[in-house]
């Protein structure tokens, strides 16, 4: 293992071991002390994070994959020996997901550095002549450009408005980014302490309509600030963080189209911040344009070829039946009210077949949305959520693998088919239900569980709502204390209350 990679592995491991739930995995399992004498009979390849740390320190790993395999072995052992409902099993799933995210980010950064080094060497060897009219590629909001200035030509207000609409009219933006964050309403009292410069798409639209932007760069900076704030306040893997990543990718893609196409404002002067000398990246882009591509772009065809096997594999998993088809509104009439953007694996598969995903991240975001919706509607402690988290761990690993394969050129764009399109294979499973609307004991129990997650103000509002629509379900436990008997709620009152509570919980999940 190269010294640099060894150092990066140490940083990932340090971050993983700093997770609040990582403590059971830092030392070898003491079977005698824990009273589990059969542990080493069932677990043939014991491993712990402390041992991994020692092996890293002594440089025993010849390849990064060996390091990753040992870390994963820690969590495989835990899930093998422990019951899925146990706390340590859930902790293993959570810590492994944190490791997967950290490792994926680190590997992408390493690959990016390698690509930049290779491209710089190529550019130096070929020494292409300057091309002053070339445009430097636009980085994402998080890209590290060092000292290289970004070149953004001036665009008309109409075109900037079109750019804004490309993200503002999406379901994700309507749910989260179109209005300013209200810390009290959204239950995030520390928001303005964390986010010093808040921004939202509605404010940007208002500024654009009033002609408050001196140039396109200011407009682009404000839009990128929206995504940056969302990713700063919301942890990776949460719904809002994923929404920000998806919309950021859409905006940057549309920005490139407008700034390199015929719609750019040819009569407007270049921005004052535009450098007179050609940036190295622009010269490099000109050089590479004359060569065959070094790696396959994430075209819709490549994304479909890379991601379709993942979705097919997930649909065949023993825990996937709940997530294979859209939720039946007859069976769960409150679902559409509580979940603003439903998603399921069959829908993802159809979108792949229609080549609707432009990047792997787009597809991954929709798959993540399935698990987030399941947890939001059913509760994190439900069996549905546990199955969702189990499948999420599998999906995240598979998406990580295909990103690596696409980046290294192991997945190529498929050749055009000859002789017409293929027909869908018959016999695909379709899960449906003609069950009439009813309220099951499990649904009543879930309402009780969800109600305990409300804050004091929301509970008082819930009590007032019950007294209004179903007063018989309210009973006094003392002179100053009251409780709700969910078994006494009629169907109409139950559905009204269940929808109200779930809306609050989903709103809290999306904004936290």
């Amino acid at each position: 293992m190269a010294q640099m990679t060894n150092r990066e592995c140490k940083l990932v491991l340090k971050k993983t071991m700093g997770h609040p739930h990582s403590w059971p995995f830092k030392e070898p399992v003491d079977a005698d002390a824990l009273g589990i004498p059969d542990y080493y009979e069932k677990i043939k390849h014991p491993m712990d994070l402390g041992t991994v740390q020692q092996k890293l320190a002594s440089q025993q790993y010849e390849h990064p994959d060996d390091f990753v395999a040992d870390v994963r072995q820690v969590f495989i052992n835990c899930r093998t020996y422990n019951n899925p409902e146990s706390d340590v099993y859930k902790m293993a799933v959570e810590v492994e997901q944190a490791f997967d995210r950290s490792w994926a980010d680190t590997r992408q950064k390493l690959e990016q550095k390698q690509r930049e080094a290779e491209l710089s060497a190529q550019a130096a060897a070929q020494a292409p002549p300057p091309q002053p009219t070339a445009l430097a590629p636009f980085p994402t909001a998080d890209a590290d450009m060092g000292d290289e200035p970004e070149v953004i030509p001036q665009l008309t207000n109409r075109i900037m408005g079109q750019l804004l609409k490309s993200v503002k009219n999406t379901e994700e933006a309507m749910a989260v980014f179109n209005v300013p964050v209200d810390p009290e309403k959204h239950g995030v009292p520390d928001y303005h302490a964390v986010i010093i410069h808040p921004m939202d798409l509605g404010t940007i639209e208002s500024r654009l309509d009033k002609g408050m932007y001196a140039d396109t760069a200011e407009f682009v900076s404000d839009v990128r600030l929206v995504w940056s704030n969302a990713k700063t306040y919301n942890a990776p893997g949460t719904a809002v963080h994923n929404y920000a990543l998806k919309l950021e990718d859409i905006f940057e893609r549309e920005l490139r189209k407008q700034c390199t196409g015929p719609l750019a404002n040819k009569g407007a002067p270049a921005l004052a911040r535009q450098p007179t000398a050609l940036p190295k990246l622009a010269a490099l882009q000109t050089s590479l344009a004359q060569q065959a591509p070094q790696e396959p772009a994430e075209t819709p065809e490549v994304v479909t070829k890379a991601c379709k096997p993942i979705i097919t594999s997930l649909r065949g998993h023993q825990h996937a039946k709940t997530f294979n088809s859209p939720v039946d509104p007859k069976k769960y009439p409150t679902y559409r009210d509580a979940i603003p953007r439903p998603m399921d694996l069959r829908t993802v598969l159809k979108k792949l077949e229609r080549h609707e995903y432009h990047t792997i991240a787009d597809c991954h975001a929709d798959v993540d949305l399935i698990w987030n919706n399941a947890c939001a509607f059913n509760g994190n402690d439900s069996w549905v959520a546990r199955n969702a988290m189990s499948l999420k761990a599998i999906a995240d690993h598979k998406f990580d693998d295909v990103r690596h394969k696409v980046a290294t050129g192991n997945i190529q764009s498929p050749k055009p088919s000859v002789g017409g399109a293929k027909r869908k294979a018959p016999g695909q499973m379709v899960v449906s239900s003609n069950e009439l609307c009813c309220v099951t004991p499990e649904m009543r129990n879930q309402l009780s569980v969800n109600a305990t997650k409300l804050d004091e103000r929301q509970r008082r509002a819930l009590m007032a709502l019950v007294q209004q629509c179903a007063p018989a379900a309210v009973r006094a436990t003392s002179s100053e204390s009251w409780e709700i008997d969910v078994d006494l709620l009629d169907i109409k009152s139950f559905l009204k209350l269940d929808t109200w509570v779930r809306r609050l919980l989903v709103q809290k999940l999306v904004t936290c």
Side-chain angles (χ1 to χ4, degrees):
M1 178 184 297
Q3 183 65 31
M4 179 179 177
T5 306
N6 189 286
R7 179 175 61 85
E8 296 293 341
C9 290
K10 287 180 180 179
L11 291 175
V12 172
L13 184 63
K14 182 179 180 180
K15 191 173 182 179
T16 303
M17 295 181 74
H19 192 283
H21 292 164
S22 67
W23 59 267
F25 315 111
K26 292 183 178 180
E27 297 178 355
V29 172
D30 189 336
D32 294 334
L34 296 174
I36 47 175
D38 62 339
Y39 181 82
Y40 289 104
E41 295 176 6
K42 294 183 178 180
I43 303 302
K44 303 302 181 183
H45 303 286
M47 184 54 61
D48 65 280
L49 299 180
T51 299
V52 175
Q53 190 177 42
Q54 293 174 4
K55 294 176 71 173
L56 270 177
S58 57
Q59 297 189 357
Q60 295 184 38
Y61 294 113
E62 296 182 359
H63 193 276
D65 288 348
D66 300 332
F67 159 73
V68 174
D70 269 358
V71 175
R72 294 199 192 284
Q73 188 65 47
V74 177
F75 307 116
I76 291 173
N77 291 345
C78 180
R79 294 196 302 271
T80 300
Y81 187 82
N82 297 280
N83 189 293
E85 296 182 359
S86 64
D87 289 339
V88 71
Y89 187 102
K90 297 175 184 177
M91 292 165 75
V93 172
E94 187 174 342
V95 178
E96 184 176 24
Q97 290 171 358
F99 168 79
D100 287 341
R101 290 193 296 268
S102 181
W103 179 248
D105 290 342
T106 301
R107 187 161 69 178
Q108 288 176 358
K109 290 177 181 177
L110 286 172
E111 292 169 351
Q112 180 64 24
K113 289 179 181 179
Q114 292 173 357
R115 286 196 295 269
E116 289 176 356
E118 293 170 359
L119 294 176
S120 297
Q122 279 186 349
Q126 296 175 358
Q131 299 291 334
T133 58
L135 285 173
F138 292 98
T140 62
D142 294 333
D144 181 10
M145 297 296 293
D147 296 328
E148 296 291 348
E150 181 182 6
V151 182
I152 303 180
Q154 183 71 348
L155 301 175
T156 64
N157 277 12
R158 181 178 64 83
I159 295 176
M160 288 190 284
Q162 292 174 355
L163 283 171
L164 187 62
K165 286 181 180 179
S166 70
V167 289
K168 189 174 183 292
N169 292 342
T170 62
E171 294 180 357
E172 293 86 353
M174 292 177 185
V176 183
F177 302 113
N178 283 354
V179 296
V181 173
D182 186 329
E184 182 177 354
K185 179 181 177 181
H186 297 149
V188 287
D190 64 336
Y191 184 80
H192 290 301
V194 178
I195 302 301
I196 307 302
H197 301 290
M199 183 54 62
D200 64 277
L201 300 180
T203 298
I204 295 173
E205 185 176 49
S206 176
R207 290 183 177 183
L208 191 60
D209 291 340
K210 296 176 182 177
M212 296 175 64
Y213 290 112
D215 53 41
T216 304
E218 288 186 7
F219 162 75
V220 171
S221 177
D222 270 0
V223 176
R224 288 174 176 171
L225 183 60
V226 177
W227 322 136
S228 176
N229 288 346
K231 292 185 291 182
T232 298
Y233 190 81
N234 300 276
T238 59
V240 176
H241 193 101
N242 289 340
Y243 291 169
L245 290 174
K246 181 175 181 179
L247 295 186
E248 179 183 41
D249 182 72
I250 293 174
F251 179 78
E252 296 297 332
R253 188 165 60 241
E254 293 301 315
L255 179 61
R256 292 189 191 96
K257 290 179 182 178
Q258 297 289 15
C259 291
T260 59
L263 296 180
N265 188 352
K266 298 180 180 178
L271 299 184
R273 70 192 69 186
Q274 183 170 344
T276 55
L278 181 69
K280 286 185 290 186
L281 282 176
L284 184 58
Q285 182 190 41
T286 305
S287 172
L288 293 179
Q290 302 170 357
Q291 306 174 17
Q294 298 282 323
E295 55 183 352
E298 285 193 18
T299 64
E301 291 75 20
V302 169
V303 173
T304 297
K305 184 177 180 179
C307 296
K308 190 173 180 180
I310 298 177
I311 306 306
T312 303
S313 174
L314 289 173
R315 282 171 56 82
H317 194 279
Q318 60 179 346
H319 293 159
K321 183 176 181 180
T322 310
F323 314 106
N324 274 341
S325 302
V327 172
D328 189 344
K330 292 182 179 180
K331 189 173 182 180
Y332 301 100
T334 64
Y335 187 81
R336 292 299 176 90
D337 294 324
I339 303 299
R341 187 170 173 239
M343 186 55 61
D344 62 277
L345 293 173
R346 189 173 72 187
T347 299
V348 174
L349 189 61
K350 288 183 177 179
K351 292 177 72 173
L352 280 169
E353 291 172 345
R354 294 193 295 263
H355 302 303
E356 293 184 16
Y357 294 115
H358 291 81
T359 67
I360 294 174
D362 290 344
C363 182
H364 196 178
D366 267 0
V367 173
D368 264 345
L369 183 62
I370 300 173
W371 323 133
N372 292 333
N373 288 347
C375 294
F377 186 77
N378 299 280
N380 291 328
D381 298 329
S382 65
W383 64 268
V384 178
R386 289 196 296 271
N387 285 351
M389 289 299 97
S390 176
L391 289 171
K392 174 178 170 57
I394 296 172
D396 288 349
H397 177 62
K398 289 180 179 293
F399 276 109
D400 185 23
D401 282 345
V402 299
R403 284 193 188 95
H404 177 66
K405 290 179 180 178
V406 170
T408 55
N410 291 328
I411 295 182
Q412 302 290 340
S413 181
K415 296 179 180 180
S417 58
V418 179
K422 296 181 179 179
R423 295 188 177 186
K424 290 185 178 180
Q428 290 186 349
M429 180 177 66
V430 178
V431 181
S432 62
S433 172
N434 295 321
E435 182 179 348
L436 296 176
C437 175
C438 64
V439 178
T440 66
E442 291 79 9
M443 293 169 67
R444 294 184 185 275
N445 180 64
Q446 190 62 54
L447 173 59
S448 299
V449 172
N450 288 344
T452 63
K453 301 176 182 178
L454 303 178
D455 59 34
E456 187 62 31
R457 179 178 59 84
Q458 292 169 336
R459 290 179 187 175
R460 288 197 296 269
L462 175 62
M463 182 64 70
L465 189 60
V466 175
Q467 290 174 333
Q468 177 184 1
C469 65
V474 179
R475 62 185 183 187
T477 56
S478 66
S479 59
E480 299 181 354
S481 179
W482 300 78
E483 68 178 20
I484 301 171
D485 188 345
V486 295
D487 292 330
L488 296 181
L489 295 172
D490 59 88
I491 293 179
K492 183 178 179 180
S493 298
F494 173 85
L495 295 177
K496 180 178 181 180
L497 295 170
D498 188 55
T499 299
W500 186 82
V501 171
R502 289 181 187 272
R503 276 177 176 168
L504 289 178
L505 296 180
V506 170
Q507 185 181 57
K508 183 177 181 181
L509 174 71
V510 169
T511 56
C512 289

